[in-house]
Amino acid sequence: MKLALFGHGVMGRVLEAHARAAGHEIGAVLTTRNAAEAARLLPGHDAAIDFSVPGAVAAHVEACASAGVPLVEGTTGWQGSEAAVRRLVEERGGALVYGPNFSIGVNLFYRVAAAAAALFRGLEAYDPFLEEAHHARKRDAPSGTALALRAILARELGHDEIPVTSLRVGHIPGTHRVGFDSAADQILLVHTARSRDGFAAGALLAARWITGRRGMYAFAEVLDDILATERRTP
Ligand SMILES: NC(=O)c1ccc[n+]([C@@H]2O[C@H](COP(=O)([O-])OP(=O)(O)OC[C@H]3O[C@@H](n4cnc5c(N)ncnc54)[C@H](OP(=O)(O)O)[C@@H]3O)[C@@H](O)[C@H]2O)c1
């Protein structure tokens, strides 16, 4: 695939390395220096992948939809404009796959957390909680992944009294803990990212998947397809 990148910070660089290693071509790399030229630079790419800043997401979605380039949206912290982004994609006939976390392991962890929360539904002795930790440069808190976990727990528990704590320190790629605490004991589920490689690999899978599609999809839908294919393969 010929890929355009929005953002060339820590994630953008990890993604570029993975994409080149997998044999993809990197075309336009758009940062604050040349984002205004997106309309001219985007045509001719098979897909674009965005790891930039929340305030730029709507402009990137618009530029991709206008250029007919499917977009993988990895930036977090833009949930507030999700309805507007969806409208934009639908009105322009664009293609977008988004996810606060492209790691396959985290997306399986969402399902583990959902199953666990379903077991605790109605058990007042247990208080649910969430903890997340990331590197000191991360701007949004709680993380998009923690917000997704909170929504999952609220759905399965039937209430949203779920405190979330965020730690920003050092170089942690991303750790999320889902806990259920009682007077007698504590049950703790933990996902620990060891590096950013899993995010890049998932974003590339999403780019391949979105090519040729239209509409707005959550990464969970990509994962469903991938798991179904892998489980069919002996
Ligand atoms: N979905 C996932 O799996 C996942 C995983 C990890 C991180 N993330 C998210 O990815 C995002 C980026 O993380 P990061 O650690 O790579 O951040 P970063 O190192 O700060 O890099 C941000 C990049 O965005 C660029 N940028 C800023 N404004 C822009 C604009 N208007 N148009 C185009 N590019 C612009 C910056 O360009 P300049 O260099 O010119 O300032 C920089 O290259 C964050 O929202 C983070 O939470 C998502």
Side-chain angles (χ1 to χ4, degrees):
M1 284 186 290
K2 183 176 179 184
L3 299 169
L5 307 183
F6 286 107
H8 204 230
V10 176
M11 260 318 295
R13 286 167 205 269
V14 171
L15 179 68
E16 180 180 3
H18 271 256
R20 288 195 192 281
H24 299 299
E25 183 188 345
I26 302 297
V29 177
L30 294 140
T31 65
T32 47
R33 281 173 290 111
N34 58 353
E37 294 175 74
R40 182 177 67 77
L41 295 172
L42 280 174
H45 291 83
D46 297 307
I49 304 182
D50 186 358
F51 285 101
S52 63
V53 291
V57 166
H60 296 169
V61 171
E62 185 161 17
C64 285
S66 300
V69 175
L71 175 62
V72 175
E73 187 50 74
T75 310
T76 59
W78 55 277
Q79 293 84 3
S81 41
E82 187 174 327
V85 164
R86 188 175 292 280
R87 229 179 3 259
L88 201 59
V89 172
E90 284 166 3
E91 281 171 9
R92 301 282 177 90
L96 177 81
V97 56
Y98 68 99
N101 196 313
F102 284 124
S103 133
I104 301 286
V106 157
N107 283 270
L108 292 173
F109 187 65
Y110 289 155
R111 296 172 193 208
V112 172
L119 292 173
F120 285 94
R121 188 182 180 102
L123 298 187
E124 285 182 10
Y126 285 88
D127 286 344
F129 64 91
L130 283 165
E131 295 170 338
E132 59 101 346
H134 282 88
H135 53 89
R137 291 182 316 100
K138 185 168 174 63
R139 300 182 191 196
D140 51 322
S143 66
T145 304
L147 294 175
L149 283 166
R150 187 167 66 183
I152 289 165
L153 294 192
R155 186 188 71 216
E156 298 298 333
L157 291 166
H159 69 80
D160 61 1
E161 287 152 47
I162 306 158
V164 183
T165 62
S166 300
L167 179 66
R168 295 287 173 267
V169 69
H171 302 270
I172 302 167
T175 300
H176 292 85
R177 296 188 183 85
V178 173
F180 302 91
D181 193 77
S182 80
D185 53 13
Q186 184 180 91
I187 291 99
L188 199 56
L189 304 168
V190 186
H191 179 274
T192 310
R194 294 215 173 90
S195 71
R196 292 177 176 80
D197 294 348
F199 308 135
L204 289 173
L205 282 174
R208 199 183 294 282
W209 186 89
I210 192 72
T211 307
R213 287 184 160 87
R214 281 185 177 204
M216 183 155 159
Y217 303 91
F219 185 63
E221 295 170 75
V222 181
L223 182 65
D224 283 338
D225 256 14
I226 292 166
L227 292 179
T229 307
E230 288 205 358
R231 285 172 182 154
R232 270 199 305 271
T233 311

